[in-house]
Amino acid sequence: MARALPQWFTQAGLEEMAHDFSLQEGFVATVGEGIVGFITYESLAPGLAELSWMGVRPEYQGRGVGKRLLQLAEERLIAQGIRVLEVSTVADSVAYEPYARTRAFYRANGFRDYRVDRGYFPNGDDRLLLRKQVG
Ligand SMILES: CC(C)(COP(=O)(O)OP(=O)(O)OC[C@H]1O[C@@H](n2cnc3c(N)ncnc32)[C@H](O)[C@@H]1OP(=O)(O)O)[C@@H](O)C(=O)NCCC(=O)NCCS
């Protein structure tokens, strides 16, 4: 499914994702037999977790699937004692529209900008770290 989102996930990203999926928890959204969305997360420290990967099939975006997946992940994490959820994405300094939409989704869903790390990604792009108080 992640291959259906090439504007967001590179080959290297897909490989990293395959590795992470074997170790991390998450949820999928299904329609009939098909997966239309996914979310994964991992605990980083007591009370702190990271939302690692998330995606919704293009034709199902904008219909509340991402919001519902995030809600489920938050409920599970709160039950595990997590109070803060963080997520990394490409910073506003990078002029690339698909990630502007990703940032808008996180900001519309309670995440607040926490820190920018200059030149964090291998291609030199800046990283934006966002955080949300969940518990
Ligand atoms: C980001 C993504 C997971 C969001 O899932 P989605 O199902 O499209 O989002 P939803 O329909 O659940 O949107 C939930 C809320 O976010 C808001 N939102 C979503 N996209 C937005 C955008 N581009 N601009 C502003 N707000 C946005 C919606 O308005 C909605 O708010 P509402 O409930 O008040 O109406 C999905 O668009 C996606 O797969 N993007 C590509 C991959 C990606 O960016 N992954 C994250 C990085 S790993």
Side-chain angles (χ1 to χ4, degrees):
M1 211 224 90
R3 285 193 196 89
L5 298 165
Q7 292 171 299
W8 288 271
F9 303 131
T10 60
Q11 186 55 34
L14 292 171
E15 283 165 23
E16 206 184 321
M17 203 182 282
H19 172 261
D20 288 352
F21 284 6
S22 65
L23 305 169
Q24 298 177 355
E25 279 185 42
F27 291 94
V28 292
T30 58
V31 172
E33 297 290 302
I35 293 176
V36 301
F38 61 89
I39 189 167
T40 59
Y41 46 85
E42 72 173 333
S43 169
L44 294 180
L48 176 67
E50 176 188 35
L51 196 171
S52 41
W53 300 100
M54 166 165 210
V56 173
R57 207 172 251 292
E59 59 274 32
Y60 287 91
Q61 288 180 11
R63 300 199 208 170
V65 176
K67 187 177 186 152
R68 184 74 189 114
L69 284 167
L70 182 62
Q71 251 172 17
L72 285 169
E74 287 177 8
E75 283 166 17
R76 180 64 59 89
L77 286 165
I78 289 167
Q80 294 173 0
I82 296 298
R83 296 287 166 263
V84 176
L85 181 59
E86 71 175 31
V87 68
S88 275
T89 191
V90 176
D92 297 78
S93 54
V94 179
Y96 183 61
E97 193 274 335
Y99 273 105
R101 278 189 269 151
T102 301
R103 289 189 297 273
F105 169 79
Y106 290 135
R107 288 167 177 157
N109 286 278
F111 286 86
R112 297 288 163 256
D113 293 12
Y114 180 69
R115 192 174 77 216
V116 172
D117 297 312
R118 305 264 167 237
Y120 175 89
F121 291 111
N123 66 356
D125 283 354
D126 298 341
R127 167 176 86 156
L128 172 65
L129 198 61
L130 301 105
R131 281 190 166 186
K132 178 176 182 179
Q133 195 79 35
V134 293

